[in-house]
Amino acid sequence: MKTEIQRQVKFLSLKKVNNKYEKDLLEALSSVVNSGYFIRGKQTILFEKNFAKYIGSKYVIGVGNGLDALRLIIRGYILLGKLQKNDSILVPNNTFVASILAIREEGLQPILVPPSETTYNIESSKIEAYIQDNTTAIMPVHLYGMPAYNDVLEKVIKKHQLIVIEDNAQAVGALYKLKKTGSLGHAAGISFYPSKNLGALGDAGAVVTSDSDLARIVRILSNYGSEKKYYHDYQGFNSRLDEIQAAVLNVKLKGIDADNQQRSIIAQQYIYNIKNQYIKLPCIQDNCTHVWHLFVIRCSHKDQLQQYLMKNGIETQIHYPIAMSDQTVFSDLKDQHCEATSKMQNEILSLPMSPVMEDDEVKYVIQTINKFEPWI
Ligand SMILES: *Cc1c(COP(=O)(O)O)cnc(C)c1O
């Protein structure tokens, strides 16, 4: 009997992603164990310096995770008098929940703006219609690894003097007009969650800014609101970057550009070779480099496509299946529902993407997708 060899293509293998760094990672971990410093030692201080240089901003504060980074920025601006409780912040409706949680947990109101149908980033031409009297800030999310900036967005920001808090969890290394995302606005929240382009071996994050007042207050807030030990001037919280994770990030920062380059090679293969009338491919906006955190296609028969790929051993995911306006937890945001956004989120599918995907895996995904035909 002839048995067909069933190929398996994982969505992402974190084991493989980290394997190539293994020797250096083990060395770095052992040096931390031997140092006896586990919170804010040499590795953390070095990483903050290295990462600030990489992004092109003056200050980096290592924190516990990406959500905390965004919260700390908002709380910092409230304490500096630049934001007020109950102010509203423009944010895309198709983001990950953390963007919205950060805004709400600090007592501000999210205004959910629909994404563009071509870039999936906040629709800059629609923003002005959403601005209210109490709108003082915007949180552009560089979704899937592509900068959310463009000329129209820049104009709106300037005209309305908005404070810009970038959610740069997904686009570390991406460029807009030759500047790194994370250095485009007043401050940015970064996530080093393991599956992100620059991933730690656990939770980790950073606040990036060139605003010295904000940098100072975020540092204090992230460490129990204390600048001098046991003297507390602010109500802070505990969100610090672990020395172990900082050591990991120092190793992996050296490889981020090569890793992003590898993602770009795979994305180009997908873009040039996927040919199927039922599938719409992602685009790269002018003046931008895309770091392909996710490769998201669109298909009106998405459920069938996903099933078909699964049957052929190819794992896919959906980022994200439900708009923020439609989430159970945010029932008070229901009136911000947007039909076009929900329809779009019903059609998106993320293909396998990582710097360690093998060439024959990429080819197999392409071949399989090209053979897809909806059955109803
Ligand atoms: C991952 C992510 C975050 C949150 O990062 P954590 O480190 O998981 O807290 C925030 N925003 C976006 C868009 C993300 O993808």
Side-chain angles (χ1 to χ4, degrees):
M1 199 180 79
K2 201 177 131 204
T3 53
E4 274 204 28
I5 301 164
Q6 167 86 346
R7 288 215 52 151
Q8 291 292 331
V9 182
K10 289 188 86 146
F11 182 72
L12 168 70
S13 166
L14 282 180
K15 183 174 156 67
K16 223 165 154 191
V17 166
N18 287 299
N19 254 354
K20 73 177 220 214
Y21 296 102
E22 187 172 339
K23 189 171 152 281
D24 290 348
L25 287 176
L26 292 176
E27 232 168 69
L29 296 183
S30 125
S31 92
V32 173
V33 173
N34 285 318
S35 77
Y37 286 90
F38 304 103
I39 298 285
R40 204 155 178 75
K42 275 189 195 145
Q43 292 283 348
T44 306
I45 291 161
L46 180 66
F47 176 70
E48 288 177 346
K49 196 171 136 220
N50 289 343
F51 195 65
K53 192 164 161 227
Y54 180 78
I55 295 288
S57 285
K58 281 197 188 139
Y59 310 99
V60 167
I61 300 98
V63 300
N65 55 64
L67 169 62
D68 285 357
L70 296 170
R71 286 191 64 177
L72 284 158
I73 294 166
I74 297 171
R75 196 178 293 192
Y77 275 136
I78 292 172
L79 285 166
L80 292 172
K82 299 210 169 159
L83 292 176
Q84 315 286 330
K85 295 250 174 196
N86 278 319
D87 279 0
S88 59
I89 304 196
L90 302 151
V91 61
N93 196 357
N94 61 330
T95 186
F96 178 61
V97 69
S99 322
I100 311 301
L101 288 177
I103 293 169
R104 288 174 60 113
E105 283 177 21
E106 296 308 321
L108 280 79
Q109 314 283 346
I111 297 181
L112 304 173
V113 182
S116 146
E117 299 260 347
T118 50
T119 67
Y120 303 118
N121 276 322
I122 194 162
E123 176 58 88
S124 41
S125 66
K126 289 192 186 150
I127 289 176
E128 274 199 298
Y130 285 80
I131 293 179
Q132 297 170 3
D133 290 344
N134 69 346
T135 307
T136 44
I138 182 168
M139 186 182 286
V141 182
H142 308 301
L143 206 65
Y144 309 150
M146 186 165 80
Y149 262 59
N150 52 43
D151 290 330
V152 179
L153 188 87
E154 285 188 278
K155 242 183 241 156
V156 175
I157 288 167
K158 214 166 164 190
K159 182 170 160 197
H160 296 271
Q161 300 191 342
L162 298 170
I163 289 184
V164 182
I165 301 167
E166 298 172 73
D167 180 337
N168 195 29
Q170 300 193 359
V172 169
L175 298 169
Y176 172 74
K177 294 185 178 169
L178 305 178
K179 283 177 76 183
K180 291 255 167 66
T181 54
S183 71
L184 305 172
H186 297 95
I190 315 266
S191 167
F192 305 116
Y193 182 77
S195 67
K196 300 284 154 86
N197 287 34
L198 178 57
L201 301 182
D203 276 315
V207 170
V208 177
T209 183
S210 288
D211 176 340
S212 58
D213 294 333
L214 183 73
R216 179 178 166 270
I217 198 126
V218 164
R219 169 83 65 208
I220 294 170
L221 287 173
S222 70
N223 187 30
Y224 287 115
S226 145
E227 193 168 26
K228 188 173 159 200
K229 212 169 184 178
Y230 307 126
Y231 291 77
H232 304 276
D233 300 334
Y234 305 96
Q235 185 165 319
F237 49 103
N238 171 9
S239 186
R240 298 171 295 218
L241 177 62
D242 285 0
E243 185 73 354
I244 290 260
Q245 299 305 342
V248 165
L249 290 167
N250 277 323
V251 169
K252 292 187 71 180
L253 183 60
K254 295 193 187 103
I256 181 69
D257 286 339
D259 280 351
N260 282 343
Q261 183 57 31
Q262 206 49 43
R263 288 173 185 271
S264 170
I265 289 169
I266 294 163
Q268 296 307 323
Q269 282 179 269
Y270 279 158
I271 288 171
Y272 288 119
N273 299 306
I274 292 179
K275 290 189 171 73
N276 186 317
Q277 58 167 317
Y278 299 101
I279 285 163
K280 199 174 155 233
L281 294 165
C283 73
I284 306 173
Q285 200 180 223
D286 288 350
N287 298 315
C288 292
T289 63
H290 197 314
V291 291
W292 303 106
H293 173 59
L294 295 166
F295 191 94
V296 178
I297 61 171
R298 217 170 140 173
C299 175
S300 49
H301 300 76
K302 181 255 313 167
D303 291 337
Q304 288 181 46
L305 175 62
Q306 188 171 34
Q307 265 179 48
Y308 161 85
L309 291 174
M310 186 50 93
K311 252 195 241 149
N312 285 283
I314 298 168
E315 268 178 23
T316 56
Q317 293 187 12
I318 297 162
H319 300 89
Y320 299 93
I322 303 187
M324 290 300 118
S325 56
D326 305 347
Q327 297 283 353
T328 313
V329 60
F330 303 137
S331 56
D332 57 316
L333 302 180
K334 259 205 306 256
D335 57 348
Q336 299 195 48
H337 169 84
C338 164
E339 200 47 45
T341 304
S342 299
K343 180 170 181 291
M344 193 189 95
Q345 285 183 276
N346 233 339
E347 297 184 351
I348 52 176
L349 193 66
S350 309
L351 299 185
M353 168 57 78
S354 78
V356 292
M357 256 186 105
E358 311 275 349
D359 206 43
D360 61 330
E361 291 181 309
V362 180
K363 290 205 171 90
Y364 176 67
V365 173
I366 293 166
Q367 277 167 15
T368 313
I369 289 185
N370 286 350
K371 283 189 246 163
F372 168 72
E373 282 243 23
W375 47 86
I376 36 168

